[in-house]
Amino acid sequence: MKSEDVKKIAMIGAGDMGHGIAASFLLGGYNVVLRDIEQKFVDKGVAGIIKSLDKLKEKGKIAPDIYAQALVRLTPMVDLQEAVKEADFIIEAVPEKLDLKKSVFADLDKFAPKHAILASNTSNMSITDIAAATNRPDKVIGYHFFNPAILMKLVEVIKGKDTSDESIQIGYDIAKKIKKVPVIVKKDSPGFIFNRVNEPTLLLLSKVLEAGHPTPEEFDAAFKPLMAMAPFELVDYVGIDVAVHGLEYFASVLSKDYKPSKAILSYLKSGNLGKKTGKGFYDWSKGRPSIDLAKATKEFDINQLIALQVNEATKLLEEGVVDDPKEIDLAMANGGGSPFGPFALAQGIGYPELVYKLNELHKKFPLDIFKPTKTLKAGKIKL
Ligand code: 3HC
């Protein structure tokens, strides 16, 4: 198959990510089947697509005819077999449980046409493991979008152990066609690029909660003027459940340091998961939370957060997940709300200062993850 042969997309899972990805493909001119396990979830996904497209239409970012055509190309559905039977490219965005993903992929393999590519929007998990549930591992790719998927440009296109170059190329080409910024991740590795580089920050938040100070608002107030979304606010936006599952996965495959603290687990247990439930670290019932900047903590600063990102990014280079630091910067700048990637920021700040900042954090929380790498200490990476 060639990328021009991809006409029909099946989106499996109509949650936050699923409906945002579906909307991106609808705007890119594709026919999209949106499928979830119950009609009420499908309806919620369709409502989410309409809400997003309405926003874009109201702001004049899409013309009324593009809006109307996009909705005509959308087919909502509950029956999985029916949803995928004519699909060329199928994207899974079901909850982050490996067994669930494997069982979905086994079904997709059974029901989808032989030529179809099966793509997983997993945030962190091994594409090779997911592909093992199928008889077509060459046609299984990682295809990772960022929340809100309709706006965020990055798509990580991830190669599993047996993924063919042809499958990767098709994923890359159609991401370009829908005006995203695809970045190829040539080695299957936990969290790929974006989530791996951000995971130490999430670990820091988990530890700050455990320490009991500063509060999420005091912490966020120090960063809010410098970021599209402050760190705790962003976790609320993406979902505390998603964040905890990420930490658990990293703890199981990378380092026990990542084990979620009791304090962050207590939010999961309470069911207050952030924006989607109306409450998490903040109250979202009336929209974006207001953060009182006067409460800003002096205990933490932005160079510490940048140091955590740059340090983890050097591990991706050391491990051969990515060869070129520019690719990491491209991914980081397009997956989140920052105009710059970590290595561009490092050029301005200087590597010795970043090493100093990491040592400061390591003193507070003596975790191996926070230790500066050899590459960081050598300070030779230029763009
Ligand atoms: N659909 C359509 N338009 C939307 C939208 C949606 N769902 N959400 C927001 N918008 C539009 C708004 O209407 C507004 O349009 P305008 O500029 O023309 O007025 C624009 O986007 C900006 O929205 P707001 O003014 O409400 O708020 P912000 O300026 O803060 O922008 C944001 C919102 C784009 C989400 C920005 O806060 C941001 O970039 N945040 C960071 C997001 C991020 O880091 N995402 C990655 C998370 S990690 C992840 O997803 C990994 C996964 O594995 C978990």
Side-chain angles (χ1 to χ4, degrees):
M1 184 167 66
K2 295 210 166 61
S3 46
E4 306 84 81
D5 302 324
V6 176
K7 306 279 183 227
K8 193 165 192 176
I9 309 288
M11 185 67 233
I12 308 302
D16 271 353
M17 293 309 293
H19 80 64
I21 298 169
S24 304
F25 276 96
L26 289 169
L27 287 179
Y30 287 94
N31 295 316
V32 179
V33 178
L34 180 67
R35 186 265 174 186
D36 212 314
I37 50 173
E38 283 183 43
Q39 191 61 42
K40 65 177 183 199
F41 299 132
V42 178
D43 291 346
K44 202 167 169 217
V46 172
I49 292 176
I50 293 173
K51 196 170 160 203
S52 275
L53 296 187
D54 278 349
K55 265 193 197 173
L56 296 177
K57 191 174 70 167
E58 273 162 29
K59 289 176 193 300
K61 292 193 172 157
I62 52 169
D65 58 325
I66 302 280
Y67 175 94
Q69 284 160 20
L71 290 180
V72 167
R73 284 194 298 270
L74 173 64
T75 312
M77 201 170 289
V78 171
D79 184 330
L80 180 68
Q81 193 164 351
E82 190 64 22
V84 302
K85 77 172 190 213
E86 288 170 353
D88 307 302
F89 195 92
I90 301 167
I91 308 167
E92 162 277 316
V94 306
E96 286 287 286
K97 293 180 185 132
L98 187 58
D99 287 345
L100 174 63
K101 291 201 187 271
K102 281 185 163 182
S103 110
V104 168
F105 270 74
D107 284 343
L108 295 179
D109 191 34
K110 213 179 331 161
F111 300 138
K114 288 278 164 278
H115 72 273
I117 290 179
L118 312 182
S120 175
N121 179 57
T122 177
S123 297
N124 299 309
M125 290 175 181
S126 161
I127 304 308
T128 309
D129 286 354
I130 294 171
T134 73
N135 292 310
R136 59 176 102 183
D138 58 315
K139 293 192 171 64
V140 176
I141 66 173
Y143 214 50
H144 186 209
F145 287 73
F146 294 81
N147 198 348
I150 193 161
L151 298 182
M152 295 294 138
K153 292 286 178 206
L154 176 63
V155 183
E156 292 176 329
V157 185
I158 305 127
K159 201 167 172 4
K161 188 167 74 62
D162 299 310
T163 310
S164 69
D165 290 342
E166 181 189 300
S167 302
I168 291 291
Q169 192 60 47
I170 291 171
Y172 184 92
D173 290 347
I174 66 171
K176 279 250 177 205
K177 191 169 171 223
I178 64 167
K179 301 197 171 66
K180 296 290 184 190
V181 176
V183 171
I184 293 175
V185 184
K186 64 177 184 122
K187 192 168 159 189
D188 191 10
S189 161
F192 319 118
I193 300 175
F194 190 91
N195 282 346
R196 171 76 183 271
V197 169
N198 276 329
E199 208 65 17
T201 305
L202 193 51
L203 172 61
L204 177 66
L205 302 188
S206 165
K207 291 289 166 191
V208 165
L209 286 174
E210 188 176 42
H213 66 90
T215 64
E217 188 178 10
E218 288 162 351
F219 188 92
D220 276 2
F223 301 105
K224 179 82 183 165
L226 307 166
M227 296 170 141
M229 276 183 182
F232 279 105
E233 182 191 17
L234 182 59
V235 175
D236 257 2
Y237 185 73
V238 169
I240 296 176
D241 53 337
V242 176
V244 168
H245 292 146
L247 286 169
E248 283 168 341
Y249 185 71
F250 273 71
S252 70
V253 296
L254 263 190
S255 159
K256 289 199 171 47
D257 281 0
Y258 281 112
K259 194 166 173 284
S261 63
K262 282 199 178 113
I264 198 167
L265 284 171
S266 72
Y267 283 89
L268 189 69
K269 285 191 193 118
S270 74
N272 293 324
L273 306 178
K275 182 180 174 232
K276 64 184 149 196
T277 60
K279 195 168 184 299
F281 304 120
Y282 296 100
D283 181 2
W284 289 76
S285 58
K286 295 183 194 73
R288 286 274 291 274
S290 69
I291 295 170
D292 181 357
L293 300 186
K295 290 187 177 160
T297 181
K298 293 204 168 37
E299 273 187 72
F300 295 93
D301 64 56
I302 189 70
N303 282 1
Q304 289 170 333
L305 299 196
I306 295 170
L308 287 178
Q309 282 200 338
V310 180
N311 197 44
E312 206 60 24
T314 62
K315 294 179 199 172
L316 287 175
L317 298 174
E318 287 176 355
E319 292 164 17
V321 178
V322 186
D323 296 328
D324 184 351
K326 284 201 200 86
E327 289 287 288
I328 298 179
D329 271 16
L330 183 68
M332 298 312 293
N334 285 285
S338 159
F340 305 107
F343 288 113
L345 293 168
Q347 311 303 309
I349 298 165
Y351 287 101
E353 170 71 4
L354 296 176
V355 172
Y356 176 80
K357 288 289 163 189
L358 280 170
N359 287 334
E360 231 175 42
L361 279 177
H362 189 261
K363 219 183 236 171
K364 263 194 189 116
F365 302 110
L367 299 164
D368 283 351
I369 293 297
F370 295 163
K371 279 188 186 156
T373 61
K374 267 191 195 143
T375 311
L376 191 86
K377 284 196 268 189
K380 294 208 173 92
I381 296 172
K382 299 262 181 297
L383 286 175

Short mmCIF file of all heavy atoms in Angstrom, two decimals, residues 52 197 222 298:
data_model
loop_
_atom_site.label_atom_id
_atom_site.label_comp_id
_atom_site.label_asym_id
_atom_site.label_seq_id
_atom_site.Cartn_x
_atom_site.Cartn_y
_atom_site.Cartn_z
N SER A 52 -15.28 21.22 19.00
CA SER A 52 -13.99 21.70 18.50
C SER A 52 -14.14 22.39 17.15
O SER A 52 -13.58 23.47 16.92
CB SER A 52 -13.02 20.53 18.32
OG SER A 52 -12.39 20.24 19.51
N VAL A 197 10.83 12.72 27.95
CA VAL A 197 11.53 13.95 28.37
C VAL A 197 10.77 14.66 29.50
O VAL A 197 11.37 15.29 30.36
CB VAL A 197 11.74 14.87 27.13
CG1 VAL A 197 12.22 16.25 27.53
CG2 VAL A 197 12.74 14.23 26.16
N ALA A 222 4.49 29.86 40.26
CA ALA A 222 5.87 30.25 39.92
C ALA A 222 6.14 30.06 38.42
O ALA A 222 7.06 30.66 37.87
CB ALA A 222 6.85 29.42 40.74
N LYS A 298 9.12 30.12 46.14
CA LYS A 298 10.50 30.45 45.73
C LYS A 298 11.37 29.20 45.82
O LYS A 298 12.57 29.24 45.59
CB LYS A 298 11.05 31.57 46.61
CG LYS A 298 10.32 32.88 46.38
CD LYS A 298 11.18 34.08 46.77
CE LYS A 298 10.65 35.40 46.30
NZ LYS A 298 9.22 35.61 46.32
#
